[in-house]
Amino acid sequence: MTTDTSKSVGTQAEGEESPRPEPGPGPGRRWAAIGTSGLALLPLALLGAAFWIGRLVRPGGDDWCFLPVVRDEGASGMIGKFFLHDNGRIANALLVIAYGAFGVPGHQWFALVSGVLMLGVLWALVASALKRAGLTAPRGLALLVGATAAALLFLATPDPYKAFYWPASSVSHTVAPVLACAAVIPLLRARTRRGRDFALGVAYLAGVFIGTLSEETSIVVFVVLAAVLLLSRWALPGAGRTRTRAWCVVGFAGVAVGTAILYMSPGARFRRGRFGADSTSMFGPEALTAALRAFGHVLGTVFTTWQYLGAVAVGVLLGLLVRGGERGTDGPDGSLRRRPLLLVLVGFLAFLVSGYVCVVVAYPAFGASVGTASRVWGDFLLLYVLLLVGVGALSGRALRAGSWGIRAATAAVAGVVCAATCVGLAVPLLRLERQMDVRAQRWDRQDRSLRDGAARGAQVLPYTPVSVSGMLEPFGDHGRRAWPAQCVAQYYHLKKITHSTRLP
């Protein structure tokens, strides 16, 4: 005799606590959607302004040496330069070709194109993670989190120009970690066997690409994958745990292959020889101690940058406003929901370990200045931002058990912090815009003069250093630093440039 299941709907075993029903669509949810969508306009407006300012970027530093190679020798010449002579970063060469092939306009469009790409990846990452965890969020909330994370990554560092606007640095230390995050999205979206196989393929290829793009981002990926493998024991059920572990192993293998290609390249060997960065010197007691002091300075700067509170604030809103995922999900709201401290501790341990090893690897090239060279921090700063979002989300999730008044007050405070963060990032950005505008006008003026002189047949012309945000220029340090004078001469088809203190 069969049992009529329709009569048992809504019943439960004796003593079992009934789950709290989630509120359906109503005025509260509609106002939440309106509020989050409106709040998202603030970081989006800030990012829009940052993208617009990118039109003022002009080549400088390493760009002087990249542009003539791309123009005269094409893609093969650029790849050969990196792989055989500079540093072995083949993927880095490909990205340089992508913007360098357009000359100066490529530098002017770089902030817009790379910024929109990275914003889209972070937005998709948040939305995919919520969907995978069985959570629903008010419209605009995922965009708010992604836009705030992007704004902090681009602009909260002490030197946003080198971190975001200077393509030669951004592709290695800002774009690279975001591309690593992009490889996670297919895993979060996979629902079928074919989708999971696709996610494994993406993990391997992305790993090889990252391995040949940035040594520091590769380190962060290694450490994060190890942390995920550790946490998967508690965070995921059987089938999900197996699939995630397989994905981590494949991604780890891809990064290992890419790193091996980079490490054994002639360019990487030449670079290690130039800086004396063999394994003995890099990992010796003195070098490790000096790197630890430099990393301490990095942490002192990062932990006292109040704008990062914006990441915690959007995380609190995320935890307060999402719905679902209380039972039976294979996302982070599963068994780890009962061990939030474990998640936080492992996450920050991964940040500290990866950040320190990144400093160790960068120390031979930068020396003690690695503690102030904030452009190379982006590889592990994105992890820091995402961790703060996670901490905020766990806090917001815990506060949902409180009264409506507590939740409303917390959401209001979080919104104010988000707004203050955007204002706090906008003020130095406006100052940077004025400096970039002055430099762009002077650069364009000198560029016209040098091109006119070369067209008249001149072989030697004067050059006045035109720098912004500490960028290296020919005859910097009051004329004592010649590099990259020969690259500038090659760019303008000259034999030589000489130091001048007056603009033409």
Side-chain angles (χ1 to χ4, degrees):
M1 183 176 180
T2 60
T3 303
D4 186 358
T5 57
S6 63
K7 293 180 181 179
S8 61
V9 173
T11 63
Q12 63 187 64
E14 184 178 356
E16 180 181 350
E17 182 181 355
S18 176
R20 293 175 60 185
E22 294 288 354
R29 298 294 285 168
R30 285 196 294 270
W31 279 112
I34 293 172
T36 53
S37 299
L39 193 59
L41 294 177
L42 294 177
L44 287 176
L46 177 64
L47 290 172
F51 299 161
W52 174 246
I53 292 171
R55 76 193 190 281
L56 302 174
V57 174
R58 298 295 186 272
D62 292 350
D63 301 327
W64 285 120
C65 298
F66 296 162
L67 286 173
V69 175
V70 176
R71 179 194 64 198
D72 300 337
E73 303 178 38
S76 61
M78 195 72 238
I79 293 174
K81 173 179 171 61
F82 272 70
F83 186 74
L84 299 176
H85 304 293
D86 285 2
N87 47 38
R89 301 172 185 166
I90 303 175
N92 198 323
L94 295 175
L95 294 181
V96 170
I97 294 166
Y99 69 83
F102 299 96
V104 176
H107 292 70
Q108 295 171 317
W109 282 87
F110 177 82
L112 173 62
V113 174
S114 66
V116 170
L117 172 66
M118 290 187 282
L119 170 61
V121 167
L122 293 174
W123 180 11
L125 179 67
V126 175
S128 300
L130 291 175
K131 185 175 181 180
R132 185 68 183 184
L135 301 169
T136 59
R139 185 173 301 173
L141 183 57
L143 179 59
L144 169 63
V145 176
T148 302
L152 290 170
L153 177 65
F154 302 159
L155 307 175
T157 65
D159 193 349
Y161 184 87
K162 292 180 180 177
F164 179 56
Y165 290 110
W166 184 26
S169 171
S170 181
V171 295
S172 297
H173 304 293
T174 306
V175 175
V178 179
L179 290 181
C181 289
V184 183
I185 297 174
L187 174 66
L188 297 173
R189 292 285 181 175
R191 291 294 185 272
T192 64
R193 175 66 178 273
R194 181 176 296 181
R196 291 190 289 270
D197 290 343
F198 176 75
L200 291 175
V202 169
Y204 182 78
L205 293 177
V208 174
F209 190 86
I210 293 298
T212 56
L213 173 62
S214 172
E215 298 94 322
E216 290 82 4
T217 297
S218 298
I219 291 168
V220 176
V221 171
F222 281 137
V223 175
V224 170
L225 290 178
V228 172
L229 286 172
L230 174 64
L231 288 175
S232 64
R233 176 182 176 185
W234 299 281
L236 300 171
R241 181 190 308 141
T242 302
R243 289 193 292 266
T244 300
R245 287 179 171 177
W247 184 89
C248 288
V249 170
V250 171
F252 198 100
V255 179
V257 169
T259 301
I261 293 173
L262 188 153
Y263 184 82
M264 294 185 293
S265 67
R269 289 199 299 268
F270 175 78
R271 188 171 189 264
R272 289 195 298 271
R274 182 156 54 104
F275 293 111
D278 54 53
S279 59
T280 303
S281 61
M282 184 183 300
F283 297 103
E286 293 183 4
L288 292 176
T289 302
L292 183 60
R293 287 195 296 267
F295 186 55
H297 182 82
V298 173
L299 293 180
T301 302
V302 172
F303 290 162
T304 56
T305 301
W306 69 266
Q307 287 89 343
Y308 286 115
L309 290 175
V312 180
V314 294
V316 169
L317 291 175
L318 189 67
L320 284 173
L321 299 178
V322 294
R323 295 292 183 266
E326 298 294 342
R327 292 174 179 268
T329 68
D330 57 352
D333 218 31
S335 60
L336 267 183
R337 182 165 53 88
R338 298 185 295 273
R339 301 181 179 91
L341 185 59
L342 175 64
L343 180 63
V344 173
L345 289 178
V346 172
F348 274 97
L349 181 62
F351 162 69
L352 293 173
V353 171
S354 61
Y356 173 60
V357 178
C358 285
V359 172
V360 170
V361 171
Y363 192 85
F366 290 87
S369 65
V370 73
T372 56
S374 58
R375 68 182 178 86
V376 302
W377 304 351
D379 304 273
F380 52 87
L381 279 184
L382 178 59
L383 175 60
Y384 178 65
V385 171
L386 295 179
L387 282 172
L388 291 181
V389 172
V391 170
L394 291 173
S395 301
R397 199 74 167 163
L399 288 171
R400 289 179 59 187
S403 65
W404 180 89
I406 292 176
R407 297 197 302 270
T410 303
V413 171
V416 171
V417 173
C418 291
T421 296
C422 292
V423 174
L425 295 175
V427 172
L429 180 64
L430 293 176
R431 289 198 296 265
L432 178 60
E433 180 189 19
R434 289 192 291 270
Q435 297 169 8
M436 291 171 62
D437 189 25
V438 171
R439 197 242 178 179
Q441 294 180 36
R442 294 176 177 176
W443 195 98
D444 291 342
R445 177 180 169 184
Q446 183 159 243
D447 177 65
R448 288 191 297 269
S449 175
L450 291 169
R451 290 184 182 278
D452 291 344
R456 292 193 302 267
Q459 295 297 307
V460 179
L461 289 173
Y463 182 90
T464 304
V466 181
S467 183
V468 64
S469 195
M471 286 288 295
L472 292 179
E473 277 283 291
F475 313 116
D477 193 18
H478 304 288
R480 289 187 289 270
R481 184 191 295 269
W483 189 88
Q486 189 55 42
C487 295
V488 175
Q490 183 182 356
Y491 177 72
Y492 289 108
H493 300 286
L494 301 170
K495 288 185 178 180
K496 182 181 179 182
I497 60 171
T498 58
H499 182 216
S500 173
T501 58
R502 298 181 61 182
L503 284 169

